[in-house]
Amino acid sequence: MPGLIRGVARTAAIAGTATAVSNRVSRRQAGRWAAQAEPEPQYAAPPPPPAPAAPAAPDMEAKLAQLAQLGQLRDSGVLSDTEFEVQKNRILTG
């Protein structure tokens, strides 16, 4: 019986060592293949161009000219007081 146990133990040790070596080789090969399969580093995409500047709001002189013209239209009776107020608010907030 002792000879049989020794034989089984030796076989188990050899099989365990063979499995460990096989796993290590497989991991190393997988690591090499993964390194080869990695794509070349890509350069970062250039940043998008800056957004165009918002159109400049009409300056104060243009607004005053529009308001003066609007006042003349109201005085001549073309615009009612309500229409004048609506258009004046549109010019001042626009």
Side-chain angles (χ1 to χ4, degrees):
M1 212 46 147
L4 181 62
I5 294 176
R6 191 177 343 183
V8 171
R10 177 190 275 170
T11 303
I14 292 171
T17 303
T19 302
V21 169
S22 174
N23 288 341
R24 183 171 180 213
V25 169
S26 294
R27 281 193 303 264
R28 287 178 64 193
Q29 285 179 345
R32 287 182 188 162
W33 292 335
Q36 289 175 357
E38 287 181 9
E40 293 294 320
Q42 297 294 322
Y43 295 104
D59 61 345
M60 188 55 74
E61 291 179 20
K63 287 184 179 183
L64 290 175
Q66 287 178 338
L67 288 174
Q69 183 182 15
L70 201 61
Q72 290 173 353
L73 290 173
R74 182 192 60 188
D75 293 342
S76 66
V78 174
L79 292 177
S80 68
D81 287 338
T82 306
E83 291 171 329
F84 171 78
E85 289 298 322
V86 169
Q87 293 302 319
K88 181 178 84 170
N89 286 333
R90 184 185 59 82
I91 290 170
L92 292 175
T93 60

